[in-house]
Amino acid sequence: MVCGRNVAIANQVPQISEFPKYEGSASYLQPVAQVTPEKTPASTEEPDIELTVIDKLLNEPVYSPFRREGTVKDSTRPVYVITGEEMEAQGARTVREALKFLPGILPDGTVGTEVNALSGQFIRGSNSAQVLILLDGRPINDLGSGGFDLSEFTTNIVERVEVLPGGGSTLYGSDAIGGVINIITRRPTEKVTTQAGVTLGAYGLNQQTINNSGKIGDIGWVVGYNRTQAENNYPFSIPEANFKGTRENNDVLYNNFNVKLEADLGKRNTLTLSTLYLGKDQGVPGGVPISEPLFGQGYFNSLTPSDRKYTDQVLTDLTWNSKLGGGDDSLLTARVYADFLNTRYDSRNSSQARYDNGQTSYGLQTQHSWKFAHNQTLVYGFDYRNVSATNSTFDFSSNTKTITYDDSISQGALFARYEINFTPSFTANLGLRQDFSSLTNGSFTSPSVGAKFALTDSTTLRANYIKNFRAPNLFSLYANGGSYVGNPNLRPEKGDSYDIGIDQKLGDFGLLRFTYFNNTISDLIAYNFAVPVATYENIGKIRTTGIEAVLNLQLAKNIYAFVSYTANDPRILKSTNSAEVDKELRFAGADSLNVGLSYETSQGLYAGILMHSLGAYPINNTNTEFLSGYTTFDFKMRVSLSNTLVLTGSLDNIFNQRYQLFPGYPDGGRVFQVGLSSTF
C-alpha cells in the first residue's frame, strides 16, 4: 500500500517479496517455489518492464476473501495488502507496525508506539477481540482472553499481510465479527538463498535477522531467526499530571525462530510442516496517574518500574495439498495444527503477584476448492478446533495459588462458498457456514452474499452482506476472581456487515477504491458494574457507519503517491447504561488519514515521505473524555549498494509530535533506525 510497485526483470536485488506466495494459485495451483533472480552486473542492466500501478494493485494475490488463492480484482469485497518488500521499505519490525498505513483499520496501539507495544486493531467499530487473526489461513486467536497480540510477530517471517474489513464468519467462524487479518509466511525459494541483516536505532534498538531458504530435489525449506532488543527509555511528559520524566522498565528482548519444510510427493501432492517459536521478555512500565477527572480513564494508572511480562508461543501445523481431477481445476487441502500460548505477568509493585495464562489449541481443517465448470467455483470443507486454557494467580505475600479458570471450548463447522461468473462483467457468490460448539449458546449459522459488476472497462461496482458472530471467551464465561466473575449464560455477539463500493480506474495512472459500510454488532459482551455482583453480560448494540477510500497514483516515471482515508461513526444503540445510548463507542471512532509520496526504481532505490493522521476520539462511552488527534510524518529509504547489499533507514515522527494513545501512556517521540542486509 506504500510502495509504487513498479516491476523489473532479473537485474533487481532480491527482496523479501520475492519469496513465493501462499499455497495454491488463482487456477487452483500446486505450490511452486520462486526462482531467486540472477545477479547481473550494473553495466549490463536491462531496461525496466513496468506494470501500471493499477495492474499491480488489482493483480495482488490474496487468500482471505475466498479461502483459496485469488487476486484483489477477483474479490467482491475490499481487501488491503502490504507485502514483505513494503515492510522492508517502511522499516516495520512487527506485523503491528506493518498495519500502520493500511486503510480500513485503526492499528494504533493503546499503550505506546515502541516495538513491543501491545497491538490494538479496530475495524468498523469492532475491538481487537472481535478481529480474527489467521496464520496462513488458519485461526490463532486466544480463546482464553480474546484476540492475539500482533506485536509478537516480527516481519522477517512474513510474505504479506491481508486485511479484510467487515467480518468473515462464513469462511472462518467465530471472532471474525469486525474483520480478518491474515498473515502469510514465507515459502521456500528454488535456489539456496541466505538473507542476513542488522538494524540499529534510537533508544537501544538492536536487531539481527538471518533466514536461509532453498530447495534440493523434492525438499524445500525456510529456516530463520530474529533477535530484537531495545531499551525504549525515552523522555516524555504528561501535562495533565504535571509530570516529566524518562520511560523506565520499558525494555524488550525478542527471540523468534521459524522453520518450514516442504516436500513434493510426486507432481500432484505437497506436504508442508511449519513451526514458529515467538518468545518475548519485556518490562511493563505502566502509566502516569491522572487525578482529573475523578475516576477518569487515567485515574487508576500507576507506574510499575519492576513489572515484567514473558510470552512463549509455539505455532505448528502440517498441511497436505493434493491436485485432483485434471490437475488445474481441483485442489484438496488437509491441515492439522497445534498451538501453545503462554503468558506470565510478574507484578512486583502494589499487588506482589504472578499471573499465568496458558492455552493449548488443537485443530483440523479440510477443504476442497473445485472449479467444476469454466465459470463456476465451489469451496467447501470442515473445520474443528479445541482450545483448553488456564488462568491462575500466585500471591507472593500469602504464598497461595488461585485458579481463575481452567476449561475448554470445542468448535466444529461445515462451510461452503459458491461463485459464478454469469458474464465476464458480472460475478456473484453465496456462502453458508454452520458452526457447532461445546458452549450452550455457541452454535451459529453464518450466510453471506456478494456481487460485482463491471459497468465499463474502468468502473466496477461491488456489494456484500455477511452475517458474523463471536463466541464468548473462557475468561468472560468462567473467571472467578476478587473483582471479576464470569457468566456461563452469555450469548454470542452477532454481527451484520454490509458494504457497497466502486473501483474506478483513472486512465492508466491511478486507481480509486471507495467503500461505504454499515456494521452492526448486537448482544455486545461487556463488564457490567451495575448489577449486585459485577460480571460480564450481553449489554449492548453498536452500529458503525463509515467509508474507506484509497487512491493510488503513478505521477511520473518512478514517482508514486497514495492517499487513504477511513471514517468511522460507531454509535451505541442499546446499553444497560442509558447515558451511553446514542453516544460514540470509545476508541473505535477515530478517523484515519494516510498520505505517501515516494520515488522508486527497479534497482532497489526507494525514498518516501509518509503521513499518518488520527482524529480526536472519545475514551469513554459517555463521551465526557477525549484524546486529541495527532499527525506524524515519517521518512523512509532503501538503497541497493550492490547486487547483494541493501541499506535501509527511517526517521519516524520527524517533527517530534508528542501525544497519548491512552491517558497517561506516552508515545516514543522522534526515533530513527538504520539497517544493512545482505542476500547471497
Side-chain angles (χ1 to χ4, degrees):
M1 189 56 64
V2 176
C3 298
R5 307 167 187 251
N6 76 317
V7 177
I9 56 177
N11 58 347
Q12 188 173 352
V13 174
Q15 303 294 339
I16 292 174
S17 63
E18 291 173 348
F19 284 79
K21 310 299 186 221
Y22 185 64
E23 285 95 339
S25 81
S27 57
Y28 313 93
L29 322 125
Q30 179 178 353
V32 177
Q34 188 160 337
V35 177
T36 302
E38 298 285 352
K39 312 300 187 298
T40 303
S43 60
T44 61
E45 287 180 351
E46 299 180 56
D48 295 353
I49 298 176
E50 294 192 4
L51 296 179
T52 68
V53 65
I54 300 173
D55 293 334
K56 192 69 175 72
L57 288 168
L58 293 180
N59 288 289
E60 191 77 64
V62 288
Y63 179 89
S64 49
F66 318 102
R67 198 156 164 166
R68 61 171 176 82
E69 198 76 16
T71 65
V72 169
K73 69 181 179 183
D74 298 327
S75 177
T76 63
R77 300 181 56 185
V79 57
Y80 309 109
V81 180
I82 180 168
T83 66
E85 183 181 1
E86 292 171 322
M87 294 177 209
E88 180 189 51
Q90 288 183 21
R93 298 160 295 188
T94 67
V95 171
R96 180 187 73 85
E97 294 178 340
L99 299 176
K100 180 177 179 179
F101 297 103
L102 288 184
I105 181 172
L106 304 178
D108 300 70
T110 55
V111 293
T113 57
E114 48 272 14
V115 63
N116 55 300
L118 181 71
S119 70
Q121 46 276 348
F122 299 86
I123 302 179
R124 296 186 179 180
S126 65
N127 58 44
S128 297
Q130 296 165 331
V131 174
L132 180 64
I133 309 300
L134 301 176
L135 177 63
D136 289 329
R138 55 95 165 182
I140 57 173
N141 279 45
D142 182 351
L143 298 189
S145 55
F148 192 97
D149 184 7
L150 294 178
S151 74
E152 304 286 340
F153 277 95
T154 49
T155 53
N156 63 297
I157 66 172
V158 179
E159 165 66 29
R160 69 178 187 267
V161 179
E162 305 168 1
V163 175
L164 182 68
S169 289
T170 302
L171 289 179
Y172 301 108
S174 178
D175 299 326
I177 197 167
V180 174
I181 298 174
N182 191 18
I183 303 166
I184 305 298
T185 59
R186 292 183 175 192
R187 292 189 51 242
T189 50
E190 189 69 25
K191 293 185 177 181
V192 177
T193 303
T194 299
Q195 187 176 55
V198 61
T199 300
L200 303 175
Y203 305 118
L205 174 67
N206 184 352
Q207 182 182 70
Q208 304 92 41
T209 63
I210 186 167
N211 291 277
N212 180 265
S213 177
K215 187 174 183 181
I216 297 177
D218 294 329
I219 305 297
W221 70 88
V222 180
V223 180
Y225 170 65
N226 176 289
R227 181 187 184 275
T228 301
Q229 188 172 22
E231 293 299 323
N232 298 317
N233 52 348
Y234 50 81
F236 73 104
S237 64
I238 304 295
E240 301 91 327
N242 194 29
F243 177 92
K244 287 187 178 181
T246 299
R247 202 70 164 141
E248 298 179 353
N249 190 36
N250 200 25
D251 61 294
V252 66
L253 175 63
Y254 287 82
N255 280 290
N256 289 0
F257 297 87
N258 60 286
V259 177
K260 180 174 289 188
L261 301 175
E262 188 174 282
D264 292 335
L265 309 178
K267 295 182 178 181
R268 287 177 172 261
N269 296 278
T270 303
L271 190 65
T272 304
L273 174 66
S274 178
T275 299
L276 302 178
Y277 171 79
L278 310 176
K280 189 164 67 167
D281 173 1
Q282 65 184 104
V284 182
V288 176
I290 299 175
S291 58
E292 296 291 340
L294 190 66
F295 306 126
Q297 295 298 301
Y299 185 84
F300 297 100
N301 289 347
S302 64
L303 294 173
T304 52
S306 302
D307 286 7
R308 306 292 300 179
K309 181 182 177 184
Y310 309 91
T311 56
D312 293 281
Q313 325 274 21
V314 179
L315 310 172
T316 300
D317 62 70
L318 180 66
T319 304
W320 172 54
N321 286 298
S322 181
K323 297 171 68 175
L324 307 177
D328 60 354
D329 57 2
S330 179
L331 181 66
L332 177 65
T333 301
R335 169 188 281 145
V336 292
Y337 59 89
D339 299 333
F340 306 92
L341 285 65
N342 299 287
T343 302
R344 190 182 91 215
Y345 186 99
D346 285 351
S347 177
R348 298 290 185 172
N349 294 286
S350 58
S351 61
Q352 295 293 307
R354 183 179 70 235
Y355 305 92
D356 288 288
N357 292 276
Q359 174 178 297
T360 301
S361 176
Y362 300 99
L364 168 69
Q365 289 182 328
T366 60
Q367 71 176 58
H368 183 207
S369 179
W370 182 24
K371 188 174 183 178
F372 61 92
H374 76 280
N375 65 334
Q376 299 179 68
T377 303
L378 180 65
V379 179
Y380 62 96
F382 170 75
D383 291 340
Y384 174 79
R385 189 184 187 200
N386 175 270
V387 175
S388 299
T390 302
N391 178 282
S392 64
T393 301
F394 183 83
D395 190 322
F396 290 105
S397 60
S398 62
N399 201 34
T400 58
K401 181 178 180 179
T402 303
I403 302 297
T404 306
Y405 61 82
D406 184 359
D407 220 304
S408 64
I409 297 176
S410 293
Q411 299 171 322
L414 296 169
F415 69 90
R417 181 184 185 273
Y418 169 71
E419 182 175 307
I420 180 171
N421 299 320
F422 289 103
T423 70
S425 301
F426 180 47
T427 298
N429 61 75
L430 297 171
L432 184 66
R433 182 185 180 98
Q434 178 61 54
D435 277 87
F436 309 94
S437 175
S438 60
L439 300 177
T440 302
N441 299 314
S443 300
F444 202 81
T445 304
S446 305
S448 67
V449 60
K452 66 183 181 73
F453 178 66
L455 291 175
T456 67
D457 290 341
S458 301
T459 305
T460 300
L461 302 178
R462 44 184 167 75
N464 300 275
Y465 165 75
I466 311 99
K467 192 168 188 65
N468 306 290
F469 81 104
R470 183 177 80 95
N473 60 52
L474 289 170
F475 187 89
S476 61
L477 289 167
Y478 305 123
N480 185 17
S483 59
Y484 43 82
V485 177
N487 179 0
N489 297 315
L490 290 173
R491 300 181 301 277
E493 296 178 335
K494 304 177 184 66
D496 291 286
S497 179
Y498 303 85
D499 66 65
I500 183 169
I502 183 171
D503 296 339
Q504 180 64 53
K505 298 178 183 179
L506 306 176
D508 61 356
F509 64 89
L511 177 66
L512 173 65
R513 290 177 286 174
F514 180 90
T515 303
Y516 168 82
F517 61 84
N518 183 311
N519 200 43
T520 301
I521 303 175
S522 57
D523 283 331
L524 190 70
I525 298 172
Y527 208 57
N528 185 5
F529 294 92
V531 293
V533 178
T535 186
Y536 286 91
E537 290 188 349
N538 297 99
I539 63 174
K541 182 177 182 179
I542 309 296
R543 177 170 296 150
T544 303
T545 56
I547 61 170
E548 297 161 6
V550 190
L551 175 63
N552 290 86
L553 297 169
Q554 182 173 3
L555 301 177
K557 181 178 174 60
N558 300 327
I559 299 178
Y560 302 88
F562 77 91
V563 180
S564 68
Y565 178 65
T566 302
N568 291 285
D569 185 17
R571 292 291 160 178
I572 302 172
L573 303 184
K574 294 181 181 179
S575 174
T576 54
N577 181 359
S578 60
E580 296 179 351
V581 176
D582 294 329
K583 297 296 194 298
E584 183 178 309
L585 183 67
R586 66 178 192 150
F587 295 112
D591 296 342
S592 177
L593 174 66
N594 297 310
V595 180
L597 179 66
S598 63
Y599 178 84
E600 305 175 52
T601 71
S602 60
Q603 288 74 40
L605 175 63
Y606 171 87
I609 292 287
L610 307 176
M611 186 196 81
H612 175 62
S613 182
L614 199 70
Y617 53 91
I619 56 176
N620 64 2
N621 287 339
T622 55
N623 295 180
T624 58
E625 293 184 69
F626 285 80
L627 280 179
S628 58
Y630 59 89
T631 300
T632 60
F633 291 85
D634 301 344
F635 172 74
K636 313 285 187 178
M637 73 162 193
R638 180 185 62 219
V639 180
S640 296
L641 302 178
S642 70
N643 286 340
T644 61
L645 203 60
V646 175
L647 175 70
T648 59
S650 65
L651 180 63
D652 293 347
N653 198 352
I654 295 172
F655 300 108
N656 201 31
Q657 171 71 53
R658 304 311 297 262
Y659 54 91
Q660 299 170 56
L661 293 167
F662 187 88
Y665 288 80
D667 76 296
R670 184 190 300 116
V671 294
F672 72 90
Q673 66 181 41
V674 177
L676 191 66
S677 64
S678 178
T679 302
F680 51 91

